[in-house]
Amino acid sequence: VLDGAMDPSRPALDLNRDQTAGFDTAFRSFAKDCAKQSDCPLGQGTPEAQGQRLKEFFRKLDAQPVPSGDPARPLGEALATTGVIAALYDESAWPQLRQALTDAMNGDGAALLALADSYYERGADGKYANLMFANAAVNCLDQPPAFGGPEAVDAALPSFEKASPVFGAGLAWASLNCTYWPVKATGTAKPLKAHGAAPIVVVGTTRDPATPYKWAQALAGQLDSGTLLTYDGDGHTAYGRGSDCIDAAINRYLLEGQAPPAGKRC
């Protein structure tokens, strides 16, 4: 069972741009829900208008970070963006995000910084777990980097900002990480078939920010024995996140060997 799947046939540049669009989809879903709440710090307008307000807030933080309770770590644009992105992984964090944005817009960046720290697995002692390092090590070996240098990012900015007006520029520049990774890639982008494998259940969430739904669709189509299980919902991955329909379908396969029917949707 592959939940939150990637498309191994997509080169790094396309993967980064796809993910940027995924975060835009997730933000729009959050924004629509936020507009229904009386405490929405982005107002009750359209997702486009709300996104523009958030982008303007990030721009202000870039010029003037706000206090976070730690004098050495004021909340600037980069950490604020990461804090928002962290909350888009799980819709249960949306109320926390609304409050954190409200606080930050009123000059208290502690809650948004805490969200960013949770994403980077930063402990209270200032030490980090190795998730982000491991992620780069794996991705940068899998295939050549998205960009050869800053000039290439500049050229690609319009397409990233089209994918996400709010997060496009930041995620384009973040895509430089493998450019400077000290170990050369050993893999290349190519489809995977898994000839002779037992049924492989590929699970895709329609508004997944980190692994866009189209990746699951593509992988299920590439695999000789792939079958797509769709969760029409928000957040990253589907199993164990509250859908009895998804959990039952996956448990049935893992415990009894009965794969869900092709095209099953929850």
Side-chain angles (χ1 to χ4, degrees), residues 113 191 256 266:
L113 179 64
E256 303 171 13
C266 293

Side-chain angles (χ1 to χ4, degrees), residues 54-79:
L54 182 58
K55 189 174 180 178
E56 181 58 32
F57 172 61
F58 287 156
R59 189 178 294 117
K60 288 178 181 177
L61 285 178
D62 189 41
Q64 187 66 53
V66 299
S68 68
D70 181 346
R73 304 181 71 222
L75 181 76
E77 178 189 21
L79 286 168

Side-chain angles (χ1 to χ4, degrees), residues 11-13 16 139-147 178-179 184-189:
L13 175 57
N16 281 280
N139 288 341
C140 299
L141 275 182
D142 274 351
Q143 53 176 275
F147 295 117
C178 289
T179 306
K184 285 192 69 170
T186 57
T188 57

Side-chain angles (χ1 to χ4, degrees), residues 49-138:
Q50 291 169 300
Q52 189 57 43
R53 291 188 196 105
L54 182 58
K55 189 174 180 178
E56 181 58 32
F57 172 61
F58 287 156
R59 189 178 294 117
K60 288 178 181 177
L61 285 178
D62 189 41
Q64 187 66 53
V66 299
S68 68
D70 181 346
R73 304 181 71 222
L75 181 76
E77 178 189 21
L79 286 168
T81 302
T82 301
V84 173
I85 281 174
L88 295 180
Y89 274 73
D90 186 346
E91 69 272 25
S92 69
W94 289 357
Q96 183 183 358
L97 177 57
R98 290 199 306 272
Q99 186 61 55
L101 281 171
T102 299
D103 291 349
M105 289 175 173
N106 287 314
D108 179 3
L112 207 48
L113 179 64
L115 279 168
D117 284 349
S118 71
Y119 186 74
Y120 288 133
E121 296 190 335
R122 185 186 192 276
D125 59 0
K127 295 181 179 179
Y128 294 81
N130 75 339
L131 174 65
M132 289 298 170
F133 307 112
N135 189 268
V138 171

